[in-house]
Amino acid sequence: MLELAWLIPIFPLIAYTLIIFLTKKSKSISVAVALAGIVASLVISIGVLVETIQKGITMAEPFEVAVKWLRLSAIDKYTGLNIDMGILIDPLSAVMMFVVTSIATLVIIYSVGYMHGDPGFSRYFAYMSLFAFSMLLLVIANNFFEMFFGWELVGLCSYLLIGFWFEKPSAAKAANKAFITNRWGDFGFMLGIILLYINFGTFNFGEISRIIGDGASGVGAAILTLISLLIFAGPMAKSAQFPLHVWLPDAMEGPTPVSSILHAATMVAAGVYLLARGFVLFNESTETLLFIAYIGGITAFIAASFALVQRDIKRILAYSTLSQLGYMVMVIGVGSITAGMFHLTTHAFFKCMLFLGAGSVIHAVHTQDIFEMGGLSKKMPITTWTFIIGALALAGIFPLSGFWSKDEILLATHQAGFTGLYWLATLVAGMTAFYMFRLIFIAFFGEKRTDHHAHESSPWMTVPLIILAFFAVFSGWGLVKMGYGSMVFFGHPHHGEINLGIALISTVFALGGIVLAWLIYYRKIVDTDLMKQRFRPIYNLLWNKLYIDEIYEWLFDKVMLGVAWLCNQCDRKVVDGIADGLGDTVRHTGGWMRFMQTGSLQNYALVIFGAIVIIVLLMATPVLGGVIR
Amino acid sequence: MITLEYYLILAAALFCIGLFGAVAKKNAVAVLMSIELMLNSVNINLVAFNRFLAPSQLVGHVFAIFVIVVAAAEVAVGLAIVISIYRDRFSTEVDNLDWLKW
Amino acid sequence: MMPTIVFGVLSVIIIGFALAMVLSKNLVHSAIFMAATFVGVAGIYLTLSAGFLAAVQILIYVGAISILMVFGVMLTRRGDISASNLFNKRIISGVVVSAALFIILGRLILTSEWFPSSFSVPESTVGPIADLMMNAYVIPFETAALILLAAMVGAIILAKGARRTR
């Protein structure tokens, strides 16, 4: 199976091409093509995963195949350029590919029900296939350049899918916002890999880690810090870390399955995956790691606090994704890619499920405001129960998957000696439980608030939910038993023993959050409106997301447009002025000189002979001065 | 004794008179006549050089004949042009022929 | 003594008729003066022992070109013939440039050193000219024939007026 691994990204690409160019007209054939492509990838990636485990392929000795793609030989002092296209199979990429393909398969199945009757039905599945291809290319890449290729494609697909309903202005705006925000990160990433190539002479992950491992790279610590910080700009945008997180909540404008795949497996996971893949670089710079850890921690906390007050079901989930991504980035920053990737895996399943559940709800009640829902539990039992399972998993309740991965994170943070971050993360765990159950108690229980005719969704939508619920329950425990820590690791294997104290504390916080939510929103022991009144400033701050969007808007409107205005003026007045001035001078001189052009032949003859006289005078002066013999 | 210089001075005078006529006359036919004068002065020069500097070879004569040929052709074409313009404009005044500008 | 007198008379004829041609206000008179000038030049050729050229000069210039000029005058002139050949506004500058050129040329001619040959001109110039024309200069000769042909065709087309193609 390993030899076939290169086919994993290819199948969705073929599906995309077929749909776009051939089968676009027929909805059913397009769906079949998209499904066939992604299922084929799923099958191969399962095979690859199994074989990776069986053959004992480790992070240190991966299976790598590459073909030459671009060779520019060195000329004089300029280094050449060697770019490969290759595949790199190690536990990290094998697990990631399994996650991506399985989630993508389930989301595509779900979309058949969700997108039913949409005019852009076939286009949607084409984009989905392209999205899967891009992410798989990114994952399977064996060098930074190829990864960047996939990285940009992922950005493009997210743009296409977020703006899928582009006739809606808000969707078009959200797509632009996502794309532009990501551009900042991509730019940093690109500068980073260029600098990397200049210093290391290769893009290849393996070679870079060998060079660093030998300690003979001759690359200064400052340069390494710069490179790793620049590369981290990529994940900061793609995985929506503070302060580049602003695009992710707006990305909710796309169809819900898009949000689901975006949040679970493809877009945002790419950043975390890059952190894990390039960890050997980040590990070389203490400053970068510290920066990553604190950015992650800040994001986790800020996003969780935003989620506390949101009313839109998808926005709550979006901020929870932000918060969980903050966890992952933070724990990679403290030095454990095992915990980060573990959480990425489990989170992918339950977050995907939560989004699909939210989509199911939205599909049924046609609103996204949780205060307009209420009492859905009786009407939509499957959705409700899977949603609750997801929420429990997200809150980290034993024995669901979230518990295991969150415990890993807290443990790793604690062991690495980041006590402050550890307590922050624990607090965030409590907040997570609170806002998730706030959502559940408001949306699914209580009385019906508005007149809606909710009904359970079609099997196309519920079956993926049930499958995902299964993963959400068992993936954590299962992966721990399968020895995830001894598969995906950096340096030395990591055996996640459950630290009873830490597990207990986080569970207490999570349960505390749930109970609080139950008291406030189910039993209504306090008046929420009164609390809103009393804590008006804090509420406003959180409701407006710390005014970060407004700050950006101000920056854009005032600073950037100001600079642009200056540049414009400079261009118009100075640069154009010089060019125009030259032109005007020539034209005016010409306009004045043209009166010499009388058009009269006799005048020309006169001038010619006058000139001859003058020339002869000039040239023959010595002769003319001679004496007549 | 008439030397080369006499002939050259005579040719120069004829040339300058022709030049003056070519530049200062209004009528196109008169301009053509003046140009003939200039060509004639050149011929005088050629023959005089041939006579005084290299009399054994008659290259100067041959040259003069070619000049005459060209002059004849020039007069024929020039007059045809003048007639053509005249037919177009009812004028042979060179000053009116100032299309050679912007 | 004789050649000097002959040269002086011819010079006076040439310069005088040339000036008369340029200064005359009547175009027909100008044409006649021009023919006289050409005759003078033919005389100059004779003093230079270029008999063949003198004949050619008479034939072509006096016989052909002058007649052509008169035809040109006849075909293009209407109105008062006595004021048909006036000066334009460039008369002053024309005089200045011409005079300057003459002075410079004269000065150059007089200050230059010439190296006259001691050989004499052959008795008959027709034979040697024919020899040169048909041997050394046969290609220019043929080209001159072509030029004359082209000039003839061009003159006919121009004078006839090209038929406007629609």
Side-chain angles (χ1 to χ4, degrees):
Chain A
M1 272 300 192
L2 285 180
E3 294 74 30
L4 294 178
W6 62 276
L7 284 170
I8 297 174
I10 298 298
F11 280 126
L13 181 62
I14 292 172
Y16 165 74
T17 322
L18 282 179
I19 296 173
I20 282 291
F21 290 111
L22 293 177
T23 70
K24 212 165 146 191
K25 293 268 155 55
S26 162
K27 291 185 175 182
S28 46
I29 296 178
S30 300
V31 170
V33 169
L35 260 180
I38 196 69
V39 167
S41 294
L42 176 63
V43 169
I44 298 179
S45 59
I46 290 173
V48 167
L49 182 60
V50 169
E51 196 163 325
T52 309
I53 296 169
Q54 276 173 353
K55 283 196 178 165
I57 292 174
T58 62
M59 298 288 282
E61 285 159 359
F63 174 81
E64 188 175 348
V65 183
V67 291
K68 289 165 186 168
W69 189 53
L70 187 64
R71 285 280 180 280
L72 298 178
S73 48
I75 300 169
D76 295 340
K77 59 183 194 283
Y78 305 105
T79 47
L81 188 64
N82 298 322
I83 299 174
D84 289 342
M85 277 286 158
I87 60 169
L88 178 70
I89 304 293
D90 62 2
L92 180 61
S93 59
V95 168
M96 194 67 195
M97 279 190 294
F98 170 69
V99 172
V100 172
T101 49
S102 57
I103 299 268
T105 309
L106 292 171
V107 169
I108 286 179
I109 293 172
Y110 177 92
S111 304
V112 176
Y114 190 86
M115 299 300 287
H116 183 75
D118 194 280
F121 195 76
S122 303
R123 185 166 55 98
Y124 174 84
F125 285 96
Y127 289 167
M128 275 302 208
S129 298
L130 185 63
F131 207 175
F133 158 71
S134 329
M135 187 65 193
L136 289 167
L137 178 70
L138 186 158
V139 170
I140 210 166
N142 78 329
N143 60 62
F144 272 110
F145 192 88
E146 192 182 343
M147 193 173 188
F148 186 69
F149 211 91
W151 185 271
E152 290 292 339
L153 274 175
V154 167
L156 170 70
C157 293
S158 71
Y159 171 79
L160 292 174
L161 284 168
I162 292 168
F164 185 73
W165 288 318
F166 52 81
E167 65 274 16
K168 220 166 55 172
S170 60
K173 266 186 197 158
N176 278 334
K177 189 170 176 182
F179 201 69
I180 292 164
T181 313
N182 269 297
R183 214 99 296 275
W184 288 86
D186 295 350
F187 184 60
F189 184 24
M190 192 167 75
L191 287 184
I193 61 173
I194 290 171
L195 202 57
L196 185 84
Y197 191 86
I198 291 170
N199 282 291
F200 286 89
T202 177
F203 287 126
N204 190 291
F205 296 124
E207 283 176 39
I208 289 170
S209 74
R210 260 193 300 285
I211 292 170
I212 290 180
D214 292 346
S217 64
V219 180
I223 292 286
L224 266 173
T225 306
L226 182 63
I227 292 174
S228 51
L229 278 178
L230 281 172
I231 291 182
F232 180 58
M236 250 167 98
K238 198 112 334 199
S239 288
Q241 296 300 297
F242 178 83
L244 294 181
H245 65 273
V246 289
W247 66 271
L248 192 57
D250 288 29
M252 294 302 106
E253 289 295 337
T256 306
V258 171
S259 313
S260 163
I261 196 169
L262 202 85
H263 284 249
T266 51
M267 183 85 172
V268 297
V272 178
Y273 179 77
L274 171 61
L275 285 181
R277 180 52 85 201
F279 191 71
V280 63
L281 263 177
F282 300 109
N283 196 36
E284 285 303 297
S285 165
T286 335
E287 295 82 3
T288 310
L289 279 185
L290 215 59
F291 182 71
I292 294 174
Y294 278 101
I295 285 287
I298 291 168
T299 310
F301 178 72
I302 288 182
S305 61
F306 292 167
L308 292 177
V309 296
Q310 298 299 317
R311 294 170 66 97
D312 183 322
I313 183 167
K314 284 172 81 179
R315 272 181 189 268
I316 297 175
L317 291 176
Y319 281 113
S320 102
T321 305
L322 270 179
S323 170
Q324 302 302 312
L325 284 168
Y327 266 155
M328 298 170 206
V329 171
M330 176 189 82
V331 79
I332 288 177
V334 304
S336 169
I337 69 164
T338 309
M341 287 306 295
F342 189 21
H343 196 55
L344 177 66
T345 313
T346 58
H347 173 260
F349 291 119
F350 60 70
K351 184 48 65 65
C352 179
M353 183 178 79
L354 284 170
F355 265 108
L356 295 186
S360 177
V361 170
I362 295 165
H363 198 67
V365 302
H366 300 294
T367 175
Q368 303 199 2
D369 191 338
I370 53 172
F371 286 98
E372 291 176 11
M373 296 172 185
L376 293 176
S377 59
K378 294 184 192 66
K379 301 268 180 54
M380 312 175 68
I382 299 174
T383 307
T384 308
W385 284 109
T386 51
F387 204 90
I388 291 175
I389 290 171
L392 285 171
L394 179 57
I397 302 298
F398 182 83
L400 282 80
S401 59
F403 168 77
W404 303 90
S405 53
K406 189 169 285 184
D407 189 62
E408 280 274 308
I409 289 175
L410 296 175
L411 183 65
T413 315
H414 189 62
Q415 280 177 346
F418 289 87
T419 319
L421 280 180
Y422 163 70
W423 284 109
L424 189 73
T426 312
L427 178 64
V428 169
M431 287 158 77
T432 309
F434 176 77
Y435 65 67
M436 281 315 293
F437 279 87
R438 166 178 175 266
L439 163 62
I440 286 173
F441 287 129
I442 292 173
F444 291 95
F445 295 98
E447 71 281 10
K448 213 163 116 176
R449 286 183 197 80
T450 51
D451 186 34
H452 56 68
H453 304 286
H455 55 87
E456 189 55 273
S457 306
S458 69
W460 282 108
M461 293 163 76
T462 49
V463 169
L465 279 176
I466 294 165
I467 296 171
L468 282 167
F470 173 81
F471 277 113
V473 173
F474 294 107
S475 65
W477 179 78
L479 284 174
V480 168
K481 284 294 140 197
M482 277 161 64
Y484 193 88
S486 51
M487 272 170 60
V488 178
F489 59 87
F490 177 79
H492 48 83
H494 179 92
H495 296 290
E497 302 291 324
I498 290 199
N499 183 318
L500 214 58
I502 287 171
L504 217 59
I505 291 172
S506 74
T507 310
V508 165
F509 266 85
L511 284 175
I514 294 173
V515 169
L516 202 61
W518 181 70
L519 287 174
I520 296 176
Y521 294 102
Y522 193 69
R523 298 294 305 273
K524 297 197 172 26
I525 56 161
V526 288
D527 188 357
T528 48
D529 287 332
L530 206 69
M531 280 183 58
K532 226 186 265 178
Q533 288 301 328
R534 186 165 303 165
F535 298 105
R536 177 58 67 183
I538 297 175
Y539 177 82
N540 277 346
L541 208 58
L542 292 181
W543 175 250
N544 291 304
K545 300 151 239 163
L546 286 180
Y547 296 99
I548 287 171
D549 277 331
E550 281 75 10
I551 292 171
Y552 284 166
E553 211 159 281
W554 177 84
L555 271 177
F556 182 77
D557 276 355
K558 295 279 150 36
V559 179
M560 246 178 81
L561 287 186
V563 173
W565 181 84
L566 263 182
C567 292
N568 186 6
Q569 290 300 312
C570 177
D571 192 45
R572 272 164 197 268
K573 297 280 153 64
V574 179
V575 179
D576 284 8
I578 290 170
D580 287 355
L582 273 174
D584 283 348
T585 312
V586 170
R587 207 174 61 209
H588 286 135
T589 316
W592 172 75
M593 297 263 280
R594 76 177 181 181
F595 293 107
M596 287 172 66
Q597 296 272 322
T598 55
S600 161
L601 288 171
Q602 287 171 308
N603 221 348
Y604 295 163
L606 191 68
V607 171
I608 287 171
F609 280 97
I612 286 174
V613 167
I614 291 167
I615 289 168
V616 171
L617 271 177
L618 283 176
M619 288 176 68
T621 311
V623 182
L624 291 173
V627 186
I628 302 172
R629 280 166 290 115
Chain B
M1 186 64 194
I2 304 296
T3 53
L4 178 59
E5 282 93 336
Y6 288 81
Y7 288 98
L8 295 184
I9 297 280
L10 173 66
L14 194 57
F15 185 88
C16 288
I17 293 167
L19 172 63
F20 170 64
V23 166
K25 280 303 207 182
K26 265 187 177 174
N27 196 308
V29 179
V31 171
L32 278 177
M33 291 176 185
S34 306
I35 290 171
E36 291 309 313
L37 284 192
M38 290 159 80
L39 285 166
N40 257 288
S41 79
V42 171
N43 275 355
I44 294 173
N45 259 15
L46 285 171
V47 178
F49 280 132
N50 188 88
R51 163 73 182 76
F52 287 99
L53 302 183
S56 56
Q57 285 177 317
L58 294 172
V59 181
H61 291 209
V62 174
F63 243 91
I65 289 168
F66 283 131
V67 171
I68 291 169
V69 166
V70 173
E74 176 245 318
V75 166
V77 176
L79 276 175
I81 290 172
V82 169
I83 290 167
S84 168
I85 291 170
Y86 177 78
R87 199 180 287 140
D88 215 35
R89 297 209 153 191
F90 300 106
S91 161
T92 49
E93 292 211 0
V94 188
D95 277 344
N96 294 341
L97 310 181
D98 59 351
W99 314 309
L100 217 62
K101 63 180 178 183
W102 69 92
Chain C
M1 198 60 205
M2 190 61 188
T4 316
I5 294 167
V6 170
F7 181 80
V9 170
L10 285 174
S11 299
V12 169
I13 289 171
I14 289 171
I15 302 293
F17 281 120
L19 280 174
M21 184 211 104
V22 169
L23 298 175
S24 163
K25 284 184 180 166
N26 189 323
L27 199 51
V28 179
H29 293 180
S30 282
I32 291 164
F33 291 142
M34 180 185 75
T37 313
F38 288 159
V39 172
V41 172
I44 286 291
Y45 289 159
L46 284 176
T47 66
L48 287 166
S49 45
F52 177 68
L53 262 184
V56 167
Q57 171 84 8
I58 297 287
L59 273 173
I60 292 179
Y61 274 105
V62 184
I65 291 179
S66 295
I67 301 303
L68 212 55
M69 289 293 177
V70 173
F71 266 101
V73 173
M74 190 184 80
L75 284 172
T76 59
R77 200 58 236 171
R78 56 173 64 173
D80 187 9
I81 198 74
S82 62
S84 56
N85 191 20
L86 304 176
F87 285 106
N88 60 18
K89 59 185 180 292
R90 270 178 291 277
I91 178 162
I92 309 256
S93 47
V95 166
V96 167
V97 167
S98 300
L101 189 64
F102 179 65
I103 290 165
I104 287 172
L105 281 177
R107 179 96 188 150
L108 273 174
I109 289 163
L110 293 177
T111 50
S112 300
E113 264 189 273
W114 306 101
F115 302 97
S117 165
S118 53
F119 288 98
S120 62
V121 187
E123 264 318 291
S124 163
T125 55
V126 181
I129 288 175
D131 191 42
L132 278 172
M133 281 285 204
M134 288 301 158
N135 285 319
Y137 295 100
V138 68
I139 290 174
F141 179 76
E142 296 294 339
T143 315
L146 276 180
I147 287 174
L148 280 174
L149 180 68
M152 193 170 75
V153 173
I156 290 168
I157 287 175
L158 279 169
K160 189 167 159 253
R163 196 176 292 126
R164 199 166 287 164
T165 49
R166 234 178 286 266

